[in-house]
Amino acid sequence: MKNPMIMTPGPTGVRENVRFARAIETTNPDLDGRFYDFYKETCEKIAKMLKTKNEVRVLSGEGILGLEAACASLTEKGDRVLIIENGIFGEGFADFVKLYGGDPFFFRGDRKHKINVEELKKFLDKDSDFKYATVVHCDTPSGMLNDIDEICPLLKERGILTVVDSVAAMGGEDINVDEWKIDIALGGSQKCISAPPGLTLVSISEAAFKAMESRKTPIASFYCNLLAWKTYYEDKWFPYTPPISDIVGLKVAVENLLEDSDIILRHDKIASATRAAVVYAGLDLYIKDGFSNTVTVIQVPHGIDDKKVRDYMVNNYNVMIAGSFGYLEGRVFRIGHMGEGARIEKVSYALFALQKSLEHYGVKFNHDMSKTFLEKF
Ligand SMILES: *Cc1c(COP(=O)(O)O)cnc(C)c1O
């Protein structure tokens, strides 16, 4: 059976040169000095993508590992941590903070709007005694993009370390780690980067390392200990054997991104054309502002079973989009136009297939989504 075209907000399709790179002969990555240089070079390319001079590491575990590792490495018992949330991943950070003995405090935004920076400012004027704050760049289940370029500097002015989950944005949205003052920026291989799932990408500032080094108690995890990665190159010692084939593939995927000079602009144009097509055809977008360039989230029309429609799309058009989960389960469709999915022909075909499938279940359309998409692009 031919695999469907993957148009989900991660994992994304993986380009042939990334898949082939993973097949090359491997060495012992712990003992072969050349691999330390290869790993370092890979991290430097990621740093270039993130526009940062901070240290970058690639960890062996899917994106969630990074979220937990940031919290494990920074949190000590009783630490006050600010959870800035307007979505499922945003809220979820609190669970990791609690696991490691911290006290999460919420700044809750509206789930249909991006974080209101003015409101956050007012909140911080009353209370800014937090060791660090967490915020999600693109909260994927609702497709919400937050203004981390404004949020992080605001936090840093008040001496709060910033942890940003950019798993679903990094590579498809602009991100400027140094200028935006992000102490820990988190990414995953399987979203816009378009490598297979399995790796976390993390940049760590000097201030974040300092906070880990000045803890009174040791970091309560081995696998989630970011500090253990600080001097791997000088020491020629990895905390655990790195997944060499995954990292070889990742490097090619990052090179693909760096060579694609208009990639951010293309994500932007594809996302706005998608929204225009959806709305013009008579469907509704789920959120009201803060639309991400990597995923479009569409309300499931009344009386329609989203799972049936998605199955129909796979079975009849061989294209896979996503539903959502948590409070959004059954309520929205999500089209991932990120990384390898950010191609005009792919998005236009996905919109065509979605429309045909919805029509099959009785939904009436005013206009052709695929046609509008191509006109608006
Ligand atoms: C995909 C994603 C992660 C990683 O989570 P999985 O569900 O395990 O793929 C973390 N944060 C965000 C915002 C994501 O989109």
Side-chain angles (χ1 to χ4, degrees), residues 10-12 14 22 59 61-63 188-191 194-200 246:
T12 49
V14 177
R22 291 163 53 82
L59 310 179
E62 189 274 336
S189 52
Q190 83 278 26
K191 304 280 169 88
S194 295
L199 298 176
T200 283
D246 290 350

Side-chain angles (χ1 to χ4, degrees), residues 81-237:
V81 179
L82 179 61
I83 311 293
I84 300 170
E85 72 92 4
N86 56 345
I88 291 172
F89 282 103
E91 186 174 40
F93 261 117
D95 297 336
F96 296 123
V97 170
K98 278 187 270 182
L99 268 179
Y100 293 94
D103 280 338
F105 289 78
F106 289 96
F107 174 83
R108 293 193 191 271
D110 184 307
R111 294 206 160 182
K112 290 204 171 189
H113 294 276
K114 62 184 177 177
I115 292 293
N116 184 321
V117 179
E118 285 308 313
E119 292 294 320
L120 177 62
K121 201 180 281 176
K122 280 185 214 153
F123 176 96
L124 291 169
D125 284 342
K126 289 196 203 109
D127 185 4
S128 61
D129 179 24
F130 302 104
K131 181 174 192 178
Y132 68 96
T134 65
V135 62
V136 178
H137 194 182
C138 169
D139 212 317
T140 334
S142 65
M144 178 72 72
L145 189 77
N146 288 311
D147 294 329
I148 56 166
D149 57 328
E150 294 178 34
I151 293 169
C152 295
L154 198 63
L155 295 162
K156 288 293 278 183
E157 271 171 25
R158 287 157 173 87
I160 304 166
L161 292 169
T162 56
V163 173
V164 173
D165 171 356
S166 186
V167 174
M170 184 181 286
E173 301 276 359
D174 196 19
I175 180 165
N176 194 327
V177 164
D178 289 355
E179 203 182 299
W180 299 352
K181 304 190 188 309
I182 304 171
D183 288 299
I184 296 187
L186 300 160
S189 52
Q190 83 278 26
K191 304 280 169 88
C192 311
I193 313 289
S194 295
L199 298 176
T200 283
L201 289 53
V202 53
S203 78
I204 309 158
S205 72
E206 204 38 60
F209 272 133
K210 210 168 272 169
M212 295 172 210
E213 283 163 339
S214 54
R215 292 171 57 111
K216 293 182 208 78
T217 52
I219 293 170
S221 172
F222 182 82
Y223 228 62
C224 290
N225 182 340
L226 293 176
L227 194 53
W229 287 85
K230 191 178 177 195
T231 56
Y232 81 96
Y233 190 76
E234 295 76 18
D235 302 344
K236 297 289 178 287
W237 179 260

Side-chain angles (χ1 to χ4, degrees), residues 185-345:
L186 300 160
S189 52
Q190 83 278 26
K191 304 280 169 88
C192 311
I193 313 289
S194 295
L199 298 176
T200 283
L201 289 53
V202 53
S203 78
I204 309 158
S205 72
E206 204 38 60
F209 272 133
K210 210 168 272 169
M212 295 172 210
E213 283 163 339
S214 54
R215 292 171 57 111
K216 293 182 208 78
T217 52
I219 293 170
S221 172
F222 182 82
Y223 228 62
C224 290
N225 182 340
L226 293 176
L227 194 53
W229 287 85
K230 191 178 177 195
T231 56
Y232 81 96
Y233 190 76
E234 295 76 18
D235 302 344
K236 297 289 178 287
W237 179 260
F238 290 114
Y240 45 85
T241 303
I244 176 166
S245 301
D246 290 350
I247 295 170
V248 171
L250 174 71
K251 180 160 175 280
V252 174
V254 173
E255 285 163 357
N256 285 344
L257 277 168
L258 290 172
E259 282 163 18
D260 192 346
S261 58
D262 70 345
I263 188 164
I264 303 289
L265 181 66
R266 192 169 69 248
H267 276 78
D268 187 321
K269 286 170 72 177
I270 281 179
S272 29
T274 303
R275 292 195 297 274
V278 164
V279 171
Y280 192 53
L283 296 178
D284 294 311
L285 297 168
Y286 181 72
I287 55 177
K288 304 295 178 204
D289 59 36
F291 302 106
S292 91
N293 288 332
T294 55
V295 51
T296 293
V297 180
I298 305 164
Q299 291 191 35
V300 174
H302 193 71
I304 296 292
D305 179 334
D306 82 299
K307 176 82 170 54
K308 278 190 186 157
V309 174
R310 289 186 288 111
D311 286 346
Y312 189 87
M313 279 179 80
V314 171
N315 295 334
N316 293 275
Y317 298 97
N318 208 36
V319 54
M320 181 184 286
I321 65 168
S324 197
F325 48 91
Y327 71 99
L328 290 171
E329 186 165 356
R331 295 172 63 184
V332 295
F333 295 112
R334 297 184 298 157
I335 300 179
H337 33 69
M338 55 170 68
E340 288 296 311
R343 303 271 168 206
I344 309 173
E345 68 279 12

